[in-house]
Amino acid sequence: AVLYAGGEFAWLFGEYDVARVRLEASGAIWRELGDRRALAFALQSLAGTIDPRTDQIGATAAASESLRLFRELGDPWGVAVAVHSWGIVALRQNDFAGARVRFEEALARYREMGDDFFGAHVLNGLGDAARGEGDHARAGALYAESLALFRSQGLLVFMPSVLHNLGYVALGQDDARRALQLFRESLELFRDQGDQRGVAECLAGLAGAVGVLCQPRDAAWLFGAAEAVLEASGAAMW
């Protein structure tokens, strides 16, 4: 349980390699103990830490085994979480249509159970899928709904990620100044939380925005700063 919690915290702060090691160790212990439900949770979390661009088999295997176990256990909430995780795997493979289908299923399940916490997360994922498909208007609406749900629950820790995503929507809609505002707001929150991956992603977003505003020197400096943060922290951008 301690390894599982440690893996979840490492994932939250973008330390995917650390998270994977801890979650794999946690899963191995649960498998040896025969605790199938705990193993299913460890596997669904593990699926989100594996980069499918470098280990597609590992990511897919973890997601599919987690879903199978939850279905065998007759756990409807666990099934929703596993489907959600599989959507994240598809998203990181740039399979935006596949991600959308899985996220929509997960959202329907969460809403049926009245789970606004994970509902807010999956709305953010649906926004990512829509943005990947080039539908910025739909992405913006989904992100806004996700942000409102997080805010209504007082979950400030998850808000900077959605603000960052809204920054990219603004860029996609040719509103670089709005993008700057959103990236700056997100950057301050990520910095307060000590989330180095989030800081790097916001710096890269800011670089894109100032580049659009014809400030190439500042854009180059910001891209360099983002790279330096990633190298220093060992984090990786999606």
Side-chain angles (χ1 to χ4, degrees):
V2 174
L3 284 167
Y4 175 77
E8 288 283 283
F9 276 112
W11 176 87
L12 182 62
F13 292 104
E15 298 174 0
Y16 295 119
D17 290 342
V18 174
R20 180 173 182 177
V21 169
R22 291 174 179 172
L23 290 169
E24 284 178 339
S26 173
I29 293 171
W30 292 127
R31 195 183 296 277
E32 184 176 347
L33 292 172
D35 190 328
R36 297 164 69 213
R37 190 169 191 272
L39 172 60
F41 275 111
L43 287 167
Q44 69 84 20
S45 296
L46 177 62
T49 69
I50 300 173
D51 187 344
R53 294 168 297 182
T54 57
D55 188 0
Q56 181 175 348
I57 294 175
T60 302
S64 61
E65 185 180 1
S66 174
L67 180 57
R68 176 181 61 79
L69 286 169
F70 279 126
R71 281 180 171 157
E72 289 175 356
L73 291 164
D75 185 332
W77 186 79
V79 169
V81 173
V83 171
H84 186 179
S85 292
W86 208 333
I88 293 172
V89 171
L91 185 68
R92 298 182 75 187
Q93 291 172 321
N94 294 328
D95 177 8
F96 303 119
R100 174 168 42 80
V101 169
R102 291 186 172 94
F103 286 147
E104 286 174 348
E105 179 186 347
L107 181 61
R109 291 177 180 274
Y110 289 140
R111 283 177 169 166
E112 185 177 348
M113 293 180 286
D115 191 331
D116 286 341
F117 174 79
F118 278 97
H121 280 287
V122 81
L123 283 165
N124 190 33
L126 274 168
D128 289 339
R131 182 156 58 95
E133 292 179 307
D135 190 343
H136 296 292
R138 175 167 168 72
L142 289 162
Y143 288 143
E145 189 176 356
S146 172
L147 186 65
L149 270 179
F150 281 134
R151 185 174 280 126
S152 70
Q153 297 172 83
L155 298 170
L156 303 182
V157 68
F158 301 110
M159 288 172 54
S161 176
V162 188
L163 290 167
H164 160 267
N165 291 338
L166 282 166
Y168 276 108
V169 168
L171 274 183
Q173 295 175 326
D174 299 320
D175 190 347
R177 296 195 181 281
R178 172 65 174 158
L180 279 175
Q181 176 186 344
L182 288 161
F183 285 131
R184 284 170 177 157
E185 185 177 354
S186 178
L187 177 61
E188 289 181 8
L189 292 171
F190 273 133
R191 185 179 289 147
D192 290 344
Q193 293 173 10
D195 187 330
Q196 296 304 300
R197 176 180 57 82
V199 167
E201 289 183 336
C202 287
L203 289 170
L206 284 168
V210 300
V212 170
L213 294 171
C214 301
Q215 301 173 34
R217 187 183 299 274
D218 289 342
W221 186 89
L222 286 162
F223 276 129
E227 184 177 28
V229 171
L230 290 172
E231 288 180 353
S233 64
M237 284 177 61
W238 276 30

